[in-house]
Amino acid sequence: MPELSLQTSATRDETIDLVAEVARLEGLLGERQAELTALQQELQSFKARYAQIVGKQLAELAEIEQSIREAEARLRESACEPEDAEVDGASAGAQKPAPVSGLRKLFWSVAKLFHPDHAADDAEAQRRHLIMAEATRAYREGDVESLHTLLGDEDLQFYCAAPPAGDNPQDLHGRLFQLKEELRTIEFGIKRARQDGLYRSMLRAESEAANGRDMLADEAARIRRQINKALHRLTNLN
C-alpha cells in the first residue's frame, strides 16, 4: 500500500506539472499569435503606403529606362554594319547564363520532403505551406544555402511528419505536443516576416520618422530626380 500511495502521489505531481506547462504554453501561444497578427497588419499597411508613394515613381522610372534602352538599341543598329551586328548577336548569345539545373534539383528535393500534398491533416498542411513558401523564395533568389538548410534540417522533417496530437482533452501529453507544434508554426511565420526586406524598410522608415524625417517621401523625391534626368537623356536620344 505505501508503494501504491507513492506512485499515486508521483502521478498526481506529474499531472500538476503538465497542467502548469500546458497553461504556460497556451499563454505564450496567444502572445505569439497576437505578435504575428500585428506584424502582418503593420507590413500590409506599410506595403500599401510604399506602393502609393514610391511604387508609382519606380514604375514610371522603369518605363522611361526601357524607352532609353530601345532608343540606344536603334542608334547602335543604325551605326553598325550587318556583319558587326551578327558578331554582336553571337557574342550576346554566348554570354547568356545557363539554366541553373542544380538549383532546380535542390528545390525539388526539398519539395519531395515538405510538399503539402504529403500532409496527414490540415494542421500539418499549414506547416508544410510555410516551409514551401521559404523554399520557393530561396529558389527564386538563387539562395542555395537556404535550400540546403531546409533539406538537412532533421527537426523540420520531424516537425512535419509527426502525428497529430490526440483529440482527448484529458490527454495532457497530446495537448502539450499540439501546443508546441502550433507555437513552432507561429514562430516560423514571425521569423519569415522579419527576414523580409519590406520589414527592414519599415524599421528604417520608423527610425527616420523618430528623427523627424519621412523616408518614403525622401525616396520618392530621389526617384523623381532620376526620372527627370532619364527624361532629359531620352529627349537627347530621340
Side-chain angles (χ1 to χ4, degrees):
M1 291 294 292
E3 183 178 350
L4 179 59
S5 177
L6 287 174
Q7 290 177 348
T8 303
S9 177
T11 302
R12 184 165 56 249
D13 290 343
E14 181 185 4
T15 300
I16 291 173
D17 289 342
L18 284 172
V19 169
E21 181 65 4
V22 165
R24 185 187 73 83
L25 287 180
E26 285 177 339
L28 183 59
L29 183 64
E31 292 174 4
R32 289 291 186 269
Q33 181 62 67
E35 182 180 353
L36 177 59
T37 300
L39 183 57
Q40 290 171 334
Q41 290 174 345
E42 287 176 343
L43 285 172
Q44 189 62 34
S45 175
F46 180 77
K47 183 178 181 180
R49 286 179 53 223
Y50 188 92
Q52 179 66 28
I53 299 172
V54 179
K56 290 182 178 180
Q57 306 274 10
L58 285 172
E60 183 179 352
L61 178 61
E63 185 176 344
I64 297 170
E65 288 177 338
Q66 178 60 32
S67 297
I68 289 173
R69 286 191 291 271
E70 292 172 356
E72 288 175 337
R74 287 193 296 271
L75 288 175
R76 284 196 298 271
E77 289 172 2
S78 63
C80 294
E81 294 295 329
E83 292 81 7
D84 294 338
E86 289 178 7
V87 171
D88 290 343
S91 175
Q95 292 176 357
K96 277 189 176 181
V100 189
S101 58
L103 181 67
R104 188 179 299 112
K105 289 179 180 178
L106 188 58
F107 173 78
W108 283 115
S109 295
V110 174
K112 287 178 183 178
L113 278 177
F114 298 113
H115 198 280
D117 286 351
H118 304 318
D121 55 30
D122 290 342
E124 184 180 334
Q126 182 182 9
R127 297 193 297 272
R128 289 176 177 272
H129 272 299
L130 286 172
I131 296 169
M132 283 307 301
E134 166 64 7
T136 301
R137 190 278 311 163
Y139 176 71
R140 185 174 60 247
E141 298 177 6
D143 186 352
V144 175
E145 183 178 352
S146 290
L147 288 173
H148 275 298
T149 299
L150 289 174
L151 194 59
D153 193 333
E154 294 182 359
D155 288 339
L156 265 185
Q157 295 173 28
F158 173 78
Y159 165 65
C160 283
D167 295 329
N168 184 354
Q170 300 302 319
D171 182 3
L172 292 175
H173 286 285
R175 176 59 177 155
L176 198 60
F177 182 81
Q178 182 182 33
L179 285 169
K180 287 180 179 179
E181 282 190 322
E182 293 176 2
L183 187 59
R184 181 161 183 168
T185 300
I186 292 174
E187 294 282 7
F188 190 79
I190 291 173
K191 179 181 177 182
R192 283 293 303 119
R194 288 177 173 168
Q195 288 175 340
D196 195 297
L198 185 66
Y199 177 75
R200 293 190 289 272
S201 295
M202 184 179 73
L203 291 183
R204 282 202 310 274
E206 290 175 353
S207 177
E208 293 288 323
N211 293 318
R213 293 189 292 272
D214 188 333
M215 187 191 84
L216 295 186
D218 291 345
E219 180 71 5
R222 183 184 66 81
I223 297 171
R224 173 49 58 185
R225 290 193 293 271
Q226 288 182 318
I227 288 173
N228 292 335
K229 289 181 181 178
L231 285 171
H232 179 70
R233 184 179 176 188
L234 182 61
T235 301
N236 290 336
L237 286 170
N238 291 327

